[in-house]
Amino acid sequence: MNKKVEEILEEEEISKSQIKREAEALKDIGRQLVALNAKQLAQIPASDTLMEGIKVAHKIANKHEALRRQLQYIGKVLRTEDMEKITAKLDILNDNNRKRTHAIAHLELLTEQMIELGDPKINDALEMYPQLERQKLRQLVRQANKEKKLEKPAKTAKELFIYLKTNCL
């Protein structure tokens, strides 16, 4: 064989390491799929075989070796799936989770600031979230400050956070 033919053949061959990396990447995607809840899984465009494999993984989640083998099986099934659609949907779901986590952290901070600063921060909150009720916020903040002064558990502060979470997310 001449050198050009050998070079072309070498380029087309995939190394064992590359095959292992690709298999591991599919198993990682499988782990992400297994970590989703039922509502999120319903949004994933996948075959019945893959969904059945994920359901089995949910059932054996506490058995380490069985779960490892099941994840290998899921990785194998993923080879026949439309990975572009699945990874695109996973990215959207992961991004939504990040946004929700960020929003909850923002509301926790807002709750603390409203209790500390009072009316000025309540006014800021009403500008950001006009659906909130001023009287309800003031009442909760006032009660939370009373509890704080008397060194009681922060029951009303939790109520305030829940009120914000239900009306702002």
Side-chain angles (χ1 to χ4, degrees):
M1 272 197 231
N2 64 26
K3 283 190 175 185
K4 282 191 174 185
V5 173
E6 287 177 2
E7 288 174 16
I8 292 172
L9 288 175
E10 286 177 12
E11 288 176 10
E12 290 178 3
E13 288 182 29
I14 299 175
S15 69
K16 281 186 176 181
S17 299
Q18 180 63 29
I19 292 170
K20 287 180 182 179
R21 281 192 294 272
E22 290 173 3
E24 194 59 38
L26 288 175
K27 281 198 295 189
D28 286 341
I29 292 171
R31 281 187 198 93
Q32 290 178 29
L33 290 171
V34 169
L36 297 177
N37 62 36
K39 184 178 176 184
Q40 293 169 324
L41 268 176
Q43 298 176 34
I44 300 293
S47 68
D48 293 338
T49 308
L50 179 59
M51 287 303 181
E52 189 60 38
I54 292 169
K55 286 179 186 176
V56 170
H58 285 157
K59 290 177 185 175
I60 59 175
N62 58 350
K63 297 177 179 100
H64 179 71
E65 183 61 21
L67 181 59
R68 185 192 64 77
R69 287 192 309 270
Q70 188 63 22
L71 287 172
Q72 279 186 311
Y73 171 73
I74 290 171
K76 182 179 176 183
V77 172
L78 280 170
R79 293 180 200 156
T80 62
E81 298 290 322
D82 185 354
M83 291 309 297
E84 286 182 24
K85 288 182 180 179
I86 290 175
T87 53
K89 195 62 178 176
L90 269 175
D91 289 343
I92 290 169
L93 290 172
N94 289 335
D95 191 45
N96 288 344
N97 288 341
R98 274 191 292 278
K99 286 179 182 175
R100 182 168 173 78
T101 303
H102 179 70
I104 288 174
H106 170 73
L107 292 178
E108 287 172 347
L109 180 64
L110 183 61
T111 301
E112 292 171 13
Q113 289 176 341
M114 285 193 326
I115 292 170
E116 289 293 318
L117 304 175
D119 281 344
K121 201 60 186 179
I122 291 173
N123 292 336
D124 291 347
L126 288 168
E127 285 179 26
M128 285 189 285
Y129 307 105
Q131 68 271 25
L132 298 174
E133 298 175 28
R134 180 183 307 275
Q135 184 177 353
K136 175 90 172 164
L137 288 175
R138 293 185 80 213
Q139 178 185 14
L140 289 170
V141 168
R142 198 170 38 252
Q143 186 64 34
N145 279 321
K146 275 185 189 177
E147 288 175 355
K148 191 175 179 181
K149 253 184 193 172
L150 298 173
E151 296 179 5
K152 290 186 174 182
K155 180 183 170 192
T156 309
K158 289 177 187 172
E159 279 183 47
L160 175 59
F161 172 72
I162 291 169
Y163 174 73
L164 290 172
K165 186 177 167 187
T166 356
N167 292 294
C168 299
L169 291 184

